[in-house]
Amino acid sequence: MLDPWAAGGVEDYDRLVREFGIEPVTAELVKRIPRAGKYFRRGIIFGHRGFDVVLDAILEGREFAVLSGIKPSGSFHLGSLTTAEQIVYYQREYGAVAFYCIADIEAFCDNRISFEDSFEIAVDNLADVLALGLDPRRAYVYRQSEEKRVMDLAFEAGAYVTTATMKAIYGEQTVFGLYMSALVQVGDILLPEHEDFGGPKPVIVPVGADQDPHIRLTRDLARRLQPRHGFVLPSATFHRLIRGLDGSEKMSKRNPMSYFELGEDLDSIRLKIMNALTGGRPTVKEQREFGGEPRKCRVYELAFFRFNDDRDVEDIYQKCVGGELICGDCKAAVFEKIASWLKKHNEKKKKMMETARKLLEK
């Protein structure tokens, strides 16, 4: 059972692929992708559903859309970046029209955050995405609670869902509103294919591995609605979840030492990185003799997810396993690089706050 609302991570991605029928992202598939981004190149994107349809559209220069979103429950942190960067990637590299959803209904059902409060959080979140490079001229940004077409699609899709189906996909949820918010997300994913946006087309939805239940439900309901709407089954890619700095399987807002926010004080971020779990040996002597284990190291994982230069990532890996790199030095170097990026990002973000507010007010 995968629960998209739970705080836990994923321990075995191979098992996930086998048991849920996710198609693996192979080296051959990556070779076919023009200008494959770092998430594809490094295997962070490990699986997909129906990505071939989107890849064909890319290769043939046909129209397609990318959809993503954020549950406005707090400030952006490292775990939020993976999905946000992918929506920018598809828009920038292949001209996809971007749909960015503010999941305020889910925030209310799951976290009891009022629409008024989630609006202010969403302005801050959207400014982060704009600072990452989202072009608002080729993007449709909306709040779930304000988009009637999403509600209409969710209501129509709901006619084909039983309570037993929802429990089979999502497990026994004590708050029934979560099942309802899942149907709203079906409406979100199908929105780019609405006639008001040009009708049926390939749509790619980049998500973390724990969000697959939403994809499975939407693809099933899109099939049922095809006779009426002619929907192209929405596609999805699944990326690995960046693990918590404290050693947990997933960065979670429930554990402040497992993550840091993009706007967090740099001294606080330094503290968390310097105290992060590593794959280092107990002593410097053993590190020199046997080398470290970067695959276990959360600091290496920061570099693996965040550094854009493949050579920098490979350099850290080789020096670690070769015993040339000591954990304290590695932590300091990774912090400096992350801090430099954060300073530039937050400067851009400040300039985007007004644009973000205007987009949401529309």
Side-chain angles (χ1 to χ4, degrees):
M1 181 67 67
L2 281 174
D3 187 342
W5 301 292
V10 176
E11 296 184 16
D12 190 339
Y13 288 93
D14 291 335
R15 181 181 176 189
L16 192 69
V17 168
R18 291 193 307 271
E19 293 195 1
F20 289 95
I22 293 173
E23 299 174 78
V25 171
T26 62
E28 291 73 21
L29 177 62
V30 174
K31 287 178 182 177
R32 293 182 58 209
I33 303 172
R35 303 179 299 284
K38 67 180 179 183
Y39 294 121
F40 278 114
R41 295 195 309 270
R42 297 176 191 170
I44 295 171
I45 296 175
F46 68 91
H48 71 96
R49 292 192 188 277
F51 180 70
D52 303 84
V53 175
V54 174
L55 181 55
D56 287 344
I58 290 172
L59 294 173
E60 296 166 13
R62 289 187 284 109
E63 179 187 19
F64 75 101
V66 57
L67 179 134
S68 183
I70 187 75
K71 181 174 70 170
S73 57
S75 300
F76 249 50
H77 62 83
L78 286 181
S80 313
L81 281 176
T82 311
T83 302
E85 287 188 328
Q86 288 180 73
I87 192 172
V88 174
Y89 164 74
Y90 285 108
Q91 186 195 57
R92 181 185 62 238
E93 295 295 336
Y94 310 118
V97 176
F99 286 73
Y100 197 73
C101 164
I102 304 301
D104 54 358
I105 289 178
E106 184 181 11
F108 178 77
C109 291
D110 192 22
N111 306 95
R112 300 297 188 274
I113 299 174
S114 70
F115 292 155
E116 293 78 15
D117 289 341
S118 65
F119 176 84
E120 294 303 323
I121 297 171
V123 170
D124 187 74
N125 293 162
L126 181 56
D128 277 306
V129 184
L130 292 169
L132 290 171
L134 182 71
D135 183 352
R137 297 169 298 181
R138 288 188 53 78
Y140 179 60
V141 181
Y142 68 95
R143 289 179 284 162
Q144 285 176 329
S145 61
E146 296 290 327
E147 179 47 80
K148 184 177 183 300
R149 288 165 292 203
V150 166
M151 300 304 162
D152 290 343
L153 288 166
F155 185 85
E156 188 175 352
Y160 295 92
V161 181
T162 65
T163 304
T165 297
M166 297 301 282
K167 288 182 178 179
I169 294 174
Y170 294 102
E172 188 81 39
Q173 297 294 335
T174 55
V175 178
F176 195 83
L178 292 177
Y179 296 137
M180 297 175 69
S181 73
L183 280 174
V184 173
Q185 289 197 49
V186 171
D188 291 324
I189 296 171
L190 296 178
L191 182 64
E193 299 192 60
H194 193 283
E195 60 182 9
D196 289 350
F197 298 104
K201 65 177 71 64
V203 178
I204 183 68
V205 187
V207 291
D210 56 345
Q211 300 299 303
D212 181 49
H214 297 318
I215 304 302
R216 282 186 277 125
L217 177 64
T218 304
R219 284 173 63 87
D220 178 62
L221 293 173
R223 285 189 187 94
R224 296 172 182 268
L225 294 170
Q226 275 179 331
R228 176 174 170 81
H229 296 285
F231 290 136
V232 177
L233 297 188
S235 306
T237 56
F238 302 101
H239 55 259
R240 298 174 185 272
L241 305 173
I242 187 167
R243 295 177 295 180
L245 298 174
D246 62 337
S248 56
E249 285 300 316
K250 180 183 177 182
M251 288 188 171
S252 171
K253 293 178 181 178
R254 294 176 175 88
N255 185 357
M257 288 301 289
S258 74
Y259 77 101
F260 55 81
E261 297 176 350
L262 302 193
E264 194 167 326
D265 181 79
L266 290 180
D267 288 337
S268 173
I269 295 173
R270 181 188 288 108
L271 175 68
K272 292 178 181 181
I273 291 178
M274 296 307 290
N275 283 279
L277 175 72
T278 72
R281 304 296 178 178
T283 67
V284 171
K285 181 181 177 182
E286 290 175 282
Q287 181 83 357
R288 297 292 191 199
E289 184 176 354
F290 302 112
E293 299 177 278
R295 296 298 182 191
K296 296 179 180 179
C297 178
R298 302 309 199 251
V299 179
Y300 170 74
E301 192 157 298
L302 275 182
F304 190 70
F305 270 76
R306 297 302 325 133
F307 288 7
N308 288 324
D309 194 320
D310 292 345
R311 291 172 297 182
D312 289 346
V313 177
E314 181 65 17
D315 186 57
I316 292 175
Y317 184 88
Q318 294 300 334
K319 286 182 177 178
C320 178
V321 298
E324 298 177 56
L325 192 58
I326 301 303
C327 293
D329 295 339
C330 180
K331 288 177 175 180
V334 170
F335 167 74
E336 289 301 328
K337 195 141 189 174
I338 294 288
S340 175
W341 182 87
L342 285 172
K343 288 176 183 177
K344 293 175 184 175
H345 173 80
N346 287 316
E347 287 172 2
K348 294 177 187 176
K349 178 182 175 179
K350 287 179 183 177
K351 299 175 182 177
M352 295 296 179
M353 291 295 289
E354 185 178 352
T355 301
R357 184 172 295 277
K358 286 181 179 178
L359 281 171
L360 287 178
E361 286 175 347
K362 281 184 178 181

